[in-house]
Amino acid sequence: MKEFQEFSALYQKQKQYIVKVVGLTFFLLILVTVFVLINTRRINPFMLYVVAMGVVIFYAVKTRKVSPNYDLLLTFVKKNKPELLKEKELLFFIDYKLDKRYEKDPERLVKQLKSPKQKKQMLKKIKEQESNFKSLTDPKKQSKKKRRQSAK
């Protein structure tokens, strides 16, 4: 349960991450535009915009909450289980669990996601994580667990 709470906190941070990156982008664009309009120094405006977007890209990469293999996982899911693409929280959970599972050997995960020979094995792992996620988020099962714990 503690691990699921950790996941939930990470997912909330991921949702905030998107807002922060977009906010930083608009803030820096407005700041650079005002600086260019004031025209106190003769600096190429294009260079200022490039530097501002470089700062945004650096911030986005450094504060990213998904694993480096998230894009590979998305590609794999698009090809094999496109119905999962609608559930962003579930995809984040699968990525989180696979990242934890292959923490010591991330290259193995990359190979398994790319290999057509290991497609069935990866689909099985994804299905396993999907059922794990549904059991953790299903409110009926949660209330049954709470009743059992309170009865003890």
Side-chain angles (χ1 to χ4, degrees), residues 40-69:
T40 58
R41 301 236 180 216
R42 292 280 180 202
I43 299 174
N44 186 356
F46 178 72
M47 292 305 294
L48 291 174
Y49 287 111
V50 167
V51 169
M53 290 305 100
V55 168
V56 170
I57 290 171
F58 178 78
Y59 175 78
V61 168
K62 285 295 181 182
T63 60
R64 189 175 184 189
K65 300 297 177 207
V66 294
S67 76
N69 302 321

PDB file of all heavy atoms in Angstrom, residues 40-69:
ATOM      1  N   THR A  40      17.324  47.549 -24.711  1.00  0.00           N
ATOM      2  CA  THR A  40      18.403  48.222 -24.002  1.00  0.00           C
ATOM      3  C   THR A  40      19.772  47.808 -24.539  1.00  0.00           C
ATOM      4  O   THR A  40      20.712  48.579 -24.483  1.00  0.00           O
ATOM      5  CB  THR A  40      18.346  47.926 -22.495  1.00  0.00           C
ATOM      6  OG1 THR A  40      18.410  46.519 -22.309  1.00  0.00           O
ATOM      7  CG2 THR A  40      17.089  48.489 -21.877  1.00  0.00           C
ATOM      8  N   ARG A  41      19.888  46.615 -24.998  1.00  0.00           N
ATOM      9  CA  ARG A  41      21.148  46.118 -25.557  1.00  0.00           C
ATOM     10  C   ARG A  41      20.903  45.580 -26.960  1.00  0.00           C
ATOM     11  O   ARG A  41      19.853  45.028 -27.252  1.00  0.00           O
ATOM     12  CB  ARG A  41      21.688  44.971 -24.696  1.00  0.00           C
ATOM     13  CG  ARG A  41      21.951  45.341 -23.278  1.00  0.00           C
ATOM     14  CD  ARG A  41      23.360  45.024 -22.983  1.00  0.00           C
ATOM     15  NE  ARG A  41      23.638  45.369 -21.595  1.00  0.00           N
ATOM     16  CZ  ARG A  41      24.795  45.849 -21.229  1.00  0.00           C
ATOM     17  NH1 ARG A  41      25.745  46.002 -22.082  1.00  0.00           N
ATOM     18  NH2 ARG A  41      25.001  46.136 -19.976  1.00  0.00           N
ATOM     19  N   ARG A  42      21.885  45.694 -27.777  1.00  0.00           N
ATOM     20  CA  ARG A  42      21.784  45.156 -29.136  1.00  0.00           C
ATOM     21  C   ARG A  42      22.227  43.696 -29.135  1.00  0.00           C
ATOM     22  O   ARG A  42      23.376  43.376 -29.347  1.00  0.00           O
ATOM     23  CB  ARG A  42      22.671  45.955 -30.106  1.00  0.00           C
ATOM     24  CG  ARG A  42      22.198  47.329 -30.340  1.00  0.00           C
ATOM     25  CD  ARG A  42      21.077  47.280 -31.349  1.00  0.00           C
ATOM     26  NE  ARG A  42      20.605  48.632 -31.598  1.00  0.00           N
ATOM     27  CZ  ARG A  42      19.433  48.880 -32.058  1.00  0.00           C
ATOM     28  NH1 ARG A  42      18.603  47.920 -32.311  1.00  0.00           N
ATOM     29  NH2 ARG A  42      19.064  50.110 -32.276  1.00  0.00           N
ATOM     30  N   ILE A  43      21.267  42.828 -28.837  1.00  0.00           N
ATOM     31  CA  ILE A  43      21.514  41.390 -28.842  1.00  0.00           C
ATOM     32  C   ILE A  43      20.521  40.776 -29.818  1.00  0.00           C
ATOM     33  O   ILE A  43      19.362  41.187 -29.882  1.00  0.00           O
ATOM     34  CB  ILE A  43      21.320  40.779 -27.438  1.00  0.00           C
ATOM     35  CG1 ILE A  43      22.299  41.407 -26.446  1.00  0.00           C
ATOM     36  CG2 ILE A  43      21.512  39.267 -27.466  1.00  0.00           C
ATOM     37  CD1 ILE A  43      22.085  40.972 -25.018  1.00  0.00           C
ATOM     38  N   ASN A  44      20.976  39.808 -30.560  1.00  0.00           N
ATOM     39  CA  ASN A  44      20.122  39.136 -31.525  1.00  0.00           C
ATOM     40  C   ASN A  44      18.940  38.489 -30.781  1.00  0.00           C
ATOM     41  O   ASN A  44      19.139  37.617 -29.943  1.00  0.00           O
ATOM     42  CB  ASN A  44      20.934  38.077 -32.271  1.00  0.00           C
ATOM     43  CG  ASN A  44      20.168  37.429 -33.385  1.00  0.00           C
ATOM     44  OD1 ASN A  44      18.980  37.696 -33.583  1.00  0.00           O
ATOM     45  ND2 ASN A  44      20.853  36.575 -34.131  1.00  0.00           N
ATOM     46  N   PRO A  45      17.699  38.883 -31.082  1.00  0.00           N
ATOM     47  CA  PRO A  45      16.525  38.333 -30.391  1.00  0.00           C
ATOM     48  C   PRO A  45      16.405  36.823 -30.563  1.00  0.00           C
ATOM     49  O   PRO A  45      15.990  36.116 -29.644  1.00  0.00           O
ATOM     50  CB  PRO A  45      15.344  39.041 -31.039  1.00  0.00           C
ATOM     51  CG  PRO A  45      15.898  40.231 -31.698  1.00  0.00           C
ATOM     52  CD  PRO A  45      17.317  39.939 -32.028  1.00  0.00           C
ATOM     53  N   PHE A  46      16.793  36.330 -31.720  1.00  0.00           N
ATOM     54  CA  PHE A  46      16.727  34.889 -31.958  1.00  0.00           C
ATOM     55  C   PHE A  46      17.584  34.143 -30.935  1.00  0.00           C
ATOM     56  O   PHE A  46      17.174  33.104 -30.411  1.00  0.00           O
ATOM     57  CB  PHE A  46      17.185  34.575 -33.386  1.00  0.00           C
ATOM     58  CG  PHE A  46      17.180  33.107 -33.693  1.00  0.00           C
ATOM     59  CD1 PHE A  46      15.978  32.429 -33.853  1.00  0.00           C
ATOM     60  CD2 PHE A  46      18.367  32.403 -33.793  1.00  0.00           C
ATOM     61  CE1 PHE A  46      15.963  31.064 -34.116  1.00  0.00           C
ATOM     62  CE2 PHE A  46      18.361  31.046 -34.061  1.00  0.00           C
ATOM     63  CZ  PHE A  46      17.163  30.372 -34.226  1.00  0.00           C
ATOM     64  N   MET A  47      18.755  34.658 -30.639  1.00  0.00           N
ATOM     65  CA  MET A  47      19.644  34.004 -29.664  1.00  0.00           C
ATOM     66  C   MET A  47      19.018  33.991 -28.267  1.00  0.00           C
ATOM     67  O   MET A  47      19.150  33.021 -27.529  1.00  0.00           O
ATOM     68  CB  MET A  47      21.015  34.699 -29.631  1.00  0.00           C
ATOM     69  CG  MET A  47      21.816  34.516 -30.909  1.00  0.00           C
ATOM     70  SD  MET A  47      22.032  32.779 -31.373  1.00  0.00           S
ATOM     71  CE  MET A  47      23.032  32.195 -30.051  1.00  0.00           C
ATOM     72  N   LEU A  48      18.338  35.079 -27.909  1.00  0.00           N
ATOM     73  CA  LEU A  48      17.673  35.122 -26.603  1.00  0.00           C
ATOM     74  C   LEU A  48      16.573  34.060 -26.514  1.00  0.00           C
ATOM     75  O   LEU A  48      16.438  33.386 -25.489  1.00  0.00           O
ATOM     76  CB  LEU A  48      17.094  36.510 -26.347  1.00  0.00           C
ATOM     77  CG  LEU A  48      18.110  37.630 -26.121  1.00  0.00           C
ATOM     78  CD1 LEU A  48      17.403  38.968 -26.015  1.00  0.00           C
ATOM     79  CD2 LEU A  48      18.935  37.359 -24.888  1.00  0.00           C
ATOM     80  N   TYR A  49      15.802  33.917 -27.594  1.00  0.00           N
ATOM     81  CA  TYR A  49      14.742  32.899 -27.607  1.00  0.00           C
ATOM     82  C   TYR A  49      15.338  31.488 -27.552  1.00  0.00           C
ATOM     83  O   TYR A  49      14.814  30.612 -26.871  1.00  0.00           O
ATOM     84  CB  TYR A  49      13.838  33.061 -28.836  1.00  0.00           C
ATOM     85  CG  TYR A  49      12.916  34.248 -28.739  1.00  0.00           C
ATOM     86  CD1 TYR A  49      13.090  35.353 -29.550  1.00  0.00           C
ATOM     87  CD2 TYR A  49      11.874  34.254 -27.828  1.00  0.00           C
ATOM     88  CE1 TYR A  49      12.243  36.445 -29.460  1.00  0.00           C
ATOM     89  CE2 TYR A  49      11.018  35.342 -27.726  1.00  0.00           C
ATOM     90  CZ  TYR A  49      11.209  36.437 -28.542  1.00  0.00           C
ATOM     91  OH  TYR A  49      10.370  37.504 -28.434  1.00  0.00           O
ATOM     92  N   VAL A  50      16.443  31.280 -28.239  1.00  0.00           N
ATOM     93  CA  VAL A  50      17.112  29.971 -28.215  1.00  0.00           C
ATOM     94  C   VAL A  50      17.604  29.657 -26.801  1.00  0.00           C
ATOM     95  O   VAL A  50      17.420  28.535 -26.303  1.00  0.00           O
ATOM     96  CB  VAL A  50      18.276  29.917 -29.243  1.00  0.00           C
ATOM     97  CG1 VAL A  50      19.160  28.699 -29.016  1.00  0.00           C
ATOM     98  CG2 VAL A  50      17.735  29.926 -30.654  1.00  0.00           C
ATOM     99  N   VAL A  51      18.189  30.632 -26.145  1.00  0.00           N
ATOM    100  CA  VAL A  51      18.665  30.423 -24.767  1.00  0.00           C
ATOM    101  C   VAL A  51      17.481  30.130 -23.843  1.00  0.00           C
ATOM    102  O   VAL A  51      17.542  29.216 -23.004  1.00  0.00           O
ATOM    103  CB  VAL A  51      19.470  31.650 -24.264  1.00  0.00           C
ATOM    104  CG1 VAL A  51      19.724  31.572 -22.773  1.00  0.00           C
ATOM    105  CG2 VAL A  51      20.781  31.760 -25.030  1.00  0.00           C
ATOM    106  N   ALA A  52      16.402  30.872 -23.994  1.00  0.00           N
ATOM    107  CA  ALA A  52      15.214  30.649 -23.149  1.00  0.00           C
ATOM    108  C   ALA A  52      14.654  29.246 -23.354  1.00  0.00           C
ATOM    109  O   ALA A  52      14.331  28.543 -22.389  1.00  0.00           O
ATOM    110  CB  ALA A  52      14.149  31.704 -23.452  1.00  0.00           C
ATOM    111  N   MET A  53      14.547  28.803 -24.588  1.00  0.00           N
ATOM    112  CA  MET A  53      14.020  27.456 -24.853  1.00  0.00           C
ATOM    113  C   MET A  53      15.021  26.380 -24.415  1.00  0.00           C
ATOM    114  O   MET A  53      14.622  25.292 -23.997  1.00  0.00           O
ATOM    115  CB  MET A  53      13.670  27.295 -26.333  1.00  0.00           C
ATOM    116  CG  MET A  53      12.447  28.112 -26.743  1.00  0.00           C
ATOM    117  SD  MET A  53      10.968  27.771 -25.757  1.00  0.00           S
ATOM    118  CE  MET A  53      10.933  29.126 -24.614  1.00  0.00           C
ATOM    119  N   GLY A  54      16.294  26.695 -24.454  1.00  0.00           N
ATOM    120  CA  GLY A  54      17.305  25.774 -23.925  1.00  0.00           C
ATOM    121  C   GLY A  54      17.127  25.579 -22.426  1.00  0.00           C
ATOM    122  O   GLY A  54      17.236  24.458 -21.913  1.00  0.00           O
ATOM    123  N   VAL A  55      16.821  26.657 -21.724  1.00  0.00           N
ATOM    124  CA  VAL A  55      16.556  26.572 -20.282  1.00  0.00           C
ATOM    125  C   VAL A  55      15.324  25.710 -20.025  1.00  0.00           C
ATOM    126  O   VAL A  55      15.314  24.857 -19.127  1.00  0.00           O
ATOM    127  CB  VAL A  55      16.390  27.986 -19.672  1.00  0.00           C
ATOM    128  CG1 VAL A  55      15.843  27.921 -18.257  1.00  0.00           C
ATOM    129  CG2 VAL A  55      17.709  28.741 -19.708  1.00  0.00           C
ATOM    130  N   VAL A  56      14.290  25.895 -20.820  1.00  0.00           N
ATOM    131  CA  VAL A  56      13.058  25.104 -20.657  1.00  0.00           C
ATOM    132  C   VAL A  56      13.335  23.620 -20.912  1.00  0.00           C
ATOM    133  O   VAL A  56      12.887  22.759 -20.152  1.00  0.00           O
ATOM    134  CB  VAL A  56      11.933  25.625 -21.586  1.00  0.00           C
ATOM    135  CG1 VAL A  56      10.759  24.664 -21.609  1.00  0.00           C
ATOM    136  CG2 VAL A  56      11.486  26.995 -21.135  1.00  0.00           C
ATOM    137  N   ILE A  57      14.073  23.326 -21.969  1.00  0.00           N
ATOM    138  CA  ILE A  57      14.380  21.922 -22.279  1.00  0.00           C
ATOM    139  C   ILE A  57      15.208  21.305 -21.169  1.00  0.00           C
ATOM    140  O   ILE A  57      14.956  20.170 -20.744  1.00  0.00           O
ATOM    141  CB  ILE A  57      15.088  21.814 -23.645  1.00  0.00           C
ATOM    142  CG1 ILE A  57      14.090  22.149 -24.754  1.00  0.00           C
ATOM    143  CG2 ILE A  57      15.693  20.427 -23.853  1.00  0.00           C
ATOM    144  CD1 ILE A  57      14.710  22.300 -26.124  1.00  0.00           C
ATOM    145  N   PHE A  58      16.196  22.026 -20.665  1.00  0.00           N
ATOM    146  CA  PHE A  58      17.018  21.518 -19.563  1.00  0.00           C
ATOM    147  C   PHE A  58      16.152  21.237 -18.332  1.00  0.00           C
ATOM    148  O   PHE A  58      16.258  20.176 -17.718  1.00  0.00           O
ATOM    149  CB  PHE A  58      18.116  22.529 -19.219  1.00  0.00           C
ATOM    150  CG  PHE A  58      18.979  22.119 -18.062  1.00  0.00           C
ATOM    151  CD1 PHE A  58      19.971  21.176 -18.240  1.00  0.00           C
ATOM    152  CD2 PHE A  58      18.783  22.662 -16.799  1.00  0.00           C
ATOM    153  CE1 PHE A  58      20.765  20.775 -17.174  1.00  0.00           C
ATOM    154  CE2 PHE A  58      19.560  22.268 -15.737  1.00  0.00           C
ATOM    155  CZ  PHE A  58      20.566  21.337 -15.916  1.00  0.00           C
ATOM    156  N   TYR A  59      15.273  22.176 -17.995  1.00  0.00           N
ATOM    157  CA  TYR A  59      14.381  21.998 -16.850  1.00  0.00           C
ATOM    158  C   TYR A  59      13.463  20.795 -17.053  1.00  0.00           C
ATOM    159  O   TYR A  59      13.254  19.984 -16.140  1.00  0.00           O
ATOM    160  CB  TYR A  59      13.554  23.270 -16.629  1.00  0.00           C
ATOM    161  CG  TYR A  59      12.523  23.136 -15.543  1.00  0.00           C
ATOM    162  CD1 TYR A  59      12.880  23.211 -14.202  1.00  0.00           C
ATOM    163  CD2 TYR A  59      11.181  22.908 -15.845  1.00  0.00           C
ATOM    164  CE1 TYR A  59      11.938  23.075 -13.206  1.00  0.00           C
ATOM    165  CE2 TYR A  59      10.232  22.775 -14.852  1.00  0.00           C
ATOM    166  CZ  TYR A  59      10.618  22.856 -13.536  1.00  0.00           C
ATOM    167  OH  TYR A  59       9.677  22.713 -12.548  1.00  0.00           O
ATOM    168  N   ALA A  60      12.926  20.662 -18.258  1.00  0.00           N
ATOM    169  CA  ALA A  60      12.000  19.562 -18.548  1.00  0.00           C
ATOM    170  C   ALA A  60      12.693  18.208 -18.424  1.00  0.00           C
ATOM    171  O   ALA A  60      12.128  17.264 -17.880  1.00  0.00           O
ATOM    172  CB  ALA A  60      11.408  19.731 -19.945  1.00  0.00           C
ATOM    173  N   VAL A  61      13.905  18.108 -18.909  1.00  0.00           N
ATOM    174  CA  VAL A  61      14.632  16.833 -18.845  1.00  0.00           C
ATOM    175  C   VAL A  61      15.034  16.507 -17.406  1.00  0.00           C
ATOM    176  O   VAL A  61      14.915  15.361 -16.964  1.00  0.00           O
ATOM    177  CB  VAL A  61      15.871  16.878 -19.773  1.00  0.00           C
ATOM    178  CG1 VAL A  61      16.795  15.709 -19.519  1.00  0.00           C
ATOM    179  CG2 VAL A  61      15.436  16.911 -21.226  1.00  0.00           C
ATOM    180  N   LYS A  62      15.481  17.500 -16.677  1.00  0.00           N
ATOM    181  CA  LYS A  62      15.943  17.250 -15.300  1.00  0.00           C
ATOM    182  C   LYS A  62      14.820  16.918 -14.325  1.00  0.00           C
ATOM    183  O   LYS A  62      15.024  16.190 -13.363  1.00  0.00           O
ATOM    184  CB  LYS A  62      16.728  18.459 -14.766  1.00  0.00           C
ATOM    185  CG  LYS A  62      18.104  18.576 -15.330  1.00  0.00           C
ATOM    186  CD  LYS A  62      18.944  17.401 -14.900  1.00  0.00           C
ATOM    187  CE  LYS A  62      20.336  17.489 -15.433  1.00  0.00           C
ATOM    188  NZ  LYS A  62      21.153  16.359 -15.077  1.00  0.00           N
ATOM    189  N   THR A  63      13.635  17.461 -14.547  1.00  0.00           N
ATOM    190  CA  THR A  63      12.544  17.243 -13.585  1.00  0.00           C
ATOM    191  C   THR A  63      11.532  16.210 -14.055  1.00  0.00           C
ATOM    192  O   THR A  63      10.498  16.040 -13.420  1.00  0.00           O
ATOM    193  CB  THR A  63      11.807  18.570 -13.300  1.00  0.00           C
ATOM    194  OG1 THR A  63      11.274  19.078 -14.515  1.00  0.00           O
ATOM    195  CG2 THR A  63      12.733  19.585 -12.652  1.00  0.00           C
ATOM    196  N   ARG A  64      11.831  15.512 -15.122  1.00  0.00           N
ATOM    197  CA  ARG A  64      10.910  14.508 -15.671  1.00  0.00           C
ATOM    198  C   ARG A  64      10.691  13.378 -14.661  1.00  0.00           C
ATOM    199  O   ARG A  64      11.637  12.878 -14.059  1.00  0.00           O
ATOM    200  CB  ARG A  64      11.513  13.955 -16.962  1.00  0.00           C
ATOM    201  CG  ARG A  64      10.604  13.089 -17.733  1.00  0.00           C
ATOM    202  CD  ARG A  64      11.246  12.701 -19.040  1.00  0.00           C
ATOM    203  NE  ARG A  64      10.286  11.920 -19.803  1.00  0.00           N
ATOM    204  CZ  ARG A  64      10.584  11.287 -20.900  1.00  0.00           C
ATOM    205  NH1 ARG A  64      11.802  11.352 -21.380  1.00  0.00           N
ATOM    206  NH2 ARG A  64       9.667  10.607 -21.531  1.00  0.00           N
ATOM    207  N   LYS A  65       9.435  12.966 -14.492  1.00  0.00           N
ATOM    208  CA  LYS A  65       9.091  11.942 -13.499  1.00  0.00           C
ATOM    209  C   LYS A  65       8.955  10.543 -14.096  1.00  0.00           C
ATOM    210  O   LYS A  65       8.918   9.573 -13.367  1.00  0.00           O
ATOM    211  CB  LYS A  65       7.771  12.295 -12.794  1.00  0.00           C
ATOM    212  CG  LYS A  65       7.802  13.610 -12.072  1.00  0.00           C
ATOM    213  CD  LYS A  65       8.806  13.608 -10.971  1.00  0.00           C
ATOM    214  CE  LYS A  65       8.861  14.971 -10.315  1.00  0.00           C
ATOM    215  NZ  LYS A  65      10.132  15.254  -9.715  1.00  0.00           N
ATOM    216  N   VAL A  66       8.857  10.443 -15.417  1.00  0.00           N
ATOM    217  CA  VAL A  66       8.752   9.126 -16.037  1.00  0.00           C
ATOM    218  C   VAL A  66      10.152   8.586 -16.290  1.00  0.00           C
ATOM    219  O   VAL A  66      11.128   9.328 -16.316  1.00  0.00           O
ATOM    220  CB  VAL A  66       7.942   9.178 -17.360  1.00  0.00           C
ATOM    221  CG1 VAL A  66       6.508   9.531 -17.096  1.00  0.00           C
ATOM    222  CG2 VAL A  66       8.561  10.116 -18.354  1.00  0.00           C
ATOM    223  N   SER A  67      10.232   7.273 -16.484  1.00  0.00           N
ATOM    224  CA  SER A  67      11.535   6.649 -16.705  1.00  0.00           C
ATOM    225  C   SER A  67      12.044   6.968 -18.112  1.00  0.00           C
ATOM    226  O   SER A  67      11.267   7.346 -18.986  1.00  0.00           O
ATOM    227  CB  SER A  67      11.431   5.139 -16.512  1.00  0.00           C
ATOM    228  OG  SER A  67      10.811   4.546 -17.627  1.00  0.00           O
ATOM    229  N   PRO A  68      13.328   6.763 -18.340  1.00  0.00           N
ATOM    230  CA  PRO A  68      13.869   6.987 -19.688  1.00  0.00           C
ATOM    231  C   PRO A  68      13.265   6.037 -20.735  1.00  0.00           C
ATOM    232  O   PRO A  68      13.316   6.317 -21.929  1.00  0.00           O
ATOM    233  CB  PRO A  68      15.361   6.709 -19.531  1.00  0.00           C
ATOM    234  CG  PRO A  68      15.647   6.835 -18.079  1.00  0.00           C
ATOM    235  CD  PRO A  68      14.379   6.477 -17.374  1.00  0.00           C
ATOM    236  N   ASN A  69      12.692   4.937 -20.293  1.00  0.00           N
ATOM    237  CA  ASN A  69      12.124   3.954 -21.212  1.00  0.00           C
ATOM    238  C   ASN A  69      10.629   4.162 -21.461  1.00  0.00           C
ATOM    239  O   ASN A  69       9.994   3.326 -22.092  1.00  0.00           O
ATOM    240  CB  ASN A  69      12.348   2.540 -20.670  1.00  0.00           C
ATOM    241  CG  ASN A  69      13.802   2.252 -20.464  1.00  0.00           C
ATOM    242  OD1 ASN A  69      14.638   2.645 -21.271  1.00  0.00           O
ATOM    243  ND2 ASN A  69      14.133   1.597 -19.378  1.00  0.00           N
TER     244      ASN A  69
END
